[in-house]
Amino acid sequence: MDLTAWSYFISDYLSVILGLIIIFMVFGVYRRTKSRQIAAKATLNDAITKQLSEPFSLHPKIDPNLCAGCGACVRSCPEGEILGLVNNRAALIAPTKCVGHGECEAACPFDAITLVFGTKTRGKEIPRITSNYESNITGLYIAGELGGMGLIRNAVRQGRKAVEHAAKQLQREPRTAAADYELVIIGAGPAGIAAALAAKERGLNYICIEQDHFGGTIANFPRQKIIMSQPADLPLVGPMKFPRHKVSKEELIAKWEDIRTAQQLVIREQTKFHTLTKNGQIFELDTSAGKLSSHRVVLATGVRGSPRKLGVPGESMPKVTYNLIEPEQYHGQHIAVVGSGNSAAEAVDMLCKKGLANTVSMLAVTAGFDRCNDTNESKVRAAAANGRVNLYFETKVEAIHQDYLEIVVRGQRQQLRNDFLFIFIGAEMQTKFFNQLGILVDKKFGEPLSRPPSPT
């Protein structure tokens, strides 16, 4: 064989080898993709079987006619395994675990995703606000969880944007009456802190009032609770930097305290907001510390101050509570936790530690865990397998007594010995509160938060 023939032979041989390698690579990718899609479909079917297919808050709505099945949304979700590819199209496979990050919408290159509230069968009540978070009452803004969207990063962004818009309006507005402040911020949680920083940045005469402690409801979370995994960019401060990706309650509160001191924020704690009225240009606020008046108001109270209750006899007893801060104070007690989401699972995990010697029962009206991430669910199930937790699904509390509960488990009535009862079943939407203030509320059935443009 001459040199030319040999070179052709080698070339053909290498081409065949390269072709085989490409075929094996493509086949490998196909198998992995197929395997992921089978797993995603199984997760979705499991959610449907357990009646966990209805998302509770802001979530992605995917247009199958626009979705190309690229998987960008799946990869972008910070929570993981909330979205998946089913039949080569993106699908919300764990709806009740979605917390509305919105990263999927931003990542989709085909505009196939819209963030919506509610579903066709389950409506979600949302206060009517503009793109600048101004309500139907001119000068009254709603920021943070009170407006229907959770997450610290969202709350920070909304608090900042509301104040920026308020500051622009105040610059243009002729002052026909005097007020104590240009801006009053109600609530010193993430949205309120961001609003206070934005107010200082804009040179406004402001005050932030908080009914409890600085940090808002986050200050009342259990110790060492992980509450932030996505960075937030604060006015005057910039990105909040932490040594670890996941940030605990204590780390976040400490960071905020440093910022409060450095920026000399005007925060008045232990001051409860009651109501407000608008008299011309001026808002008149009634608080536990007396009357305040202001040209603009930002409501950033959150909703955790209005926990959803069971509405059963005995719920007003001292042994019933809606938050857990110091689990170590409970030793050798018979404790029940109502709920099946993250808050309930975290409380169960902390209360069932071996050193505490508690008898812990988790009571869930659902057939399984609901809006609970895999880590928390795994911890509780492991504790149950080790005999440290009793799991009661499809269970309803009928009445609360001094030393026992009346419960119905899958239709069977029984008594459960009980010393303390923790209830973690979410928070009430403050529709009555909004109505008292004159704020309009819309009910969304799988629709985006349409905000009529506000003049800038």
Side-chain angles (χ1 to χ4, degrees):
M1 183 181 294
D2 60 27
L3 186 60
T4 301
W6 180 255
S7 65
Y8 279 122
F9 173 77
I10 294 296
S11 177
D12 291 342
Y13 178 76
L14 291 175
S15 296
V16 171
I17 296 298
L18 181 60
L20 289 173
I21 291 173
I22 291 172
I23 289 171
F24 279 119
M25 289 177 64
V26 170
F27 181 68
V29 170
Y30 170 79
R31 286 190 62 182
R32 287 193 298 273
T33 302
K34 191 71 175 177
S35 176
R36 291 192 188 106
Q37 294 208 32
I38 291 172
K41 191 170 184 178
T43 301
L44 178 58
N45 289 337
D46 185 57
I48 294 171
T49 300
K50 294 178 179 177
Q51 298 183 330
L52 300 174
S53 59
E54 292 279 351
F56 291 99
S57 187
L58 187 70
H59 62 277
K61 182 178 181 181
I62 302 158
D63 187 339
N65 296 317
L66 295 177
C67 177
C70 68
C73 57
V74 178
R75 294 187 295 272
S76 70
C77 180
E79 298 298 315
E81 297 185 3
I82 304 298
L83 290 159
L85 293 180
V86 177
N87 298 326
N88 298 313
R89 292 292 184 271
L92 190 60
I93 61 174
T96 59
K97 296 180 182 180
C98 180
V99 294
H101 280 287
E103 299 292 337
C104 53
E105 182 186 43
C108 180
F110 303 101
D111 295 326
I113 295 178
T114 304
L115 296 179
V116 300
F117 287 97
T119 66
K120 290 181 180 179
T121 56
R122 178 182 295 185
K124 171 88 172 168
E125 291 185 329
I126 302 293
R128 187 179 299 177
I129 53 178
T130 71
S131 58
N132 296 302
Y133 304 99
E134 187 174 26
S135 71
N136 58 287
I137 300 173
T138 302
L140 179 59
Y141 298 81
I142 299 172
E145 196 175 14
L146 188 64
M149 282 188 268
L151 297 180
I152 291 173
R153 184 175 55 169
N154 286 342
V156 166
R157 176 174 54 82
Q158 292 166 16
R160 175 207 289 266
K161 194 166 184 180
V163 173
E164 287 174 349
H165 182 262
K168 289 179 182 178
Q169 297 303 304
L170 286 169
Q171 286 179 346
R172 300 173 181 175
E173 181 179 274
R175 307 292 173 89
T176 58
D180 298 327
Y181 300 95
E182 291 180 292
L183 175 69
V184 169
I185 302 159
I186 303 170
I193 293 169
L197 287 165
K200 181 174 181 182
E201 184 176 52
R202 296 287 174 140
L204 299 180
N205 175 25
Y206 76 95
I207 188 171
C208 177
I209 63 173
E210 164 60 45
Q211 68 173 357
D212 198 351
H213 299 290
F214 181 68
T217 52
I218 288 176
N220 293 320
F221 284 175
R223 290 192 301 104
Q224 297 304 315
K225 177 179 171 64
I226 300 299
I227 56 175
M228 195 171 87
S229 59
Q230 294 290 302
D233 196 355
L234 290 171
L236 284 177
V237 176
M240 289 189 289
K241 297 180 180 179
F242 296 90
R244 296 184 303 151
H245 177 60
K246 293 188 175 182
V247 182
S248 70
K249 158 195 162 178
E250 286 77 10
E251 290 173 309
L252 186 58
I253 294 292
K255 173 69 73 174
W256 282 344
E257 286 287 1
D258 289 344
I259 292 170
R260 176 187 185 181
T261 302
Q263 299 297 334
Q264 297 182 323
L265 297 182
V266 184
I267 311 286
R268 183 186 294 173
E269 298 173 88
Q270 302 296 319
T271 302
K272 185 175 178 59
F273 166 72
H274 296 310
T275 189
L276 62 77
T277 56
K278 191 176 185 185
N279 183 9
Q281 289 183 325
I282 306 300
F283 289 95
E284 296 174 350
L285 296 85
D286 183 19
T287 78
S288 59
K291 303 284 186 180
L292 296 175
S293 61
S294 180
H295 290 279
R296 293 291 187 274
V297 174
V298 174
L299 284 172
T301 58
V303 296
R304 295 182 187 273
S306 303
R308 186 174 289 118
K309 298 185 178 181
L310 297 174
V312 299
E315 193 166 4
S316 61
M317 295 176 66
K319 75 172 189 175
V320 180
T321 186
Y322 304 89
N323 59 55
L324 172 65
I325 301 176
E326 299 289 344
E328 290 80 8
Q329 67 180 297
Y330 301 93
H331 293 273
Q333 305 292 330
H334 288 83
I335 300 173
V337 178
V338 179
S340 55
N342 280 318
S343 295
E346 288 166 359
V348 168
D349 178 54
M350 287 183 284
L351 289 164
C352 75
K353 301 299 184 186
K354 291 181 181 179
L356 300 181
N358 294 315
T359 300
V360 182
S361 299
M362 183 174 183
L363 314 179
V365 70
T366 54
F369 286 82
D370 184 4
R371 297 193 74 192
C372 182
N373 64 44
D374 293 339
T375 300
N376 286 331
E377 180 177 344
S378 296
K379 287 181 179 179
V380 174
R381 288 197 181 277
N386 292 329
R388 292 185 286 116
V389 174
N390 302 309
L391 296 179
Y392 293 83
F393 293 112
E394 298 180 75
T395 298
K396 183 180 179 182
V397 177
E398 292 280 294
I400 302 167
H401 299 274
Q402 187 62 44
D403 55 2
Y404 71 94
L405 305 175
E406 291 182 40
I407 61 175
V408 177
V409 185
R410 295 186 173 94
Q412 300 297 313
R413 187 177 299 274
Q414 58 183 269
Q415 292 183 357
L416 179 67
R417 185 176 175 183
N418 177 253
D419 300 312
F420 293 96
L421 178 63
F422 294 87
I423 301 173
F424 296 99
I425 54 174
E428 296 286 355
M429 188 62 190
Q430 297 182 323
T431 305
K432 183 178 179 181
F433 171 66
F434 288 137
N435 290 337
Q436 289 174 342
L437 299 182
I439 297 171
L440 298 177
V441 176
D442 298 322
K443 198 163 191 176
K444 300 290 185 180
F445 290 88
E447 307 158 84
L449 183 60
S450 56
R451 301 186 180 105
S454 180
T456 57

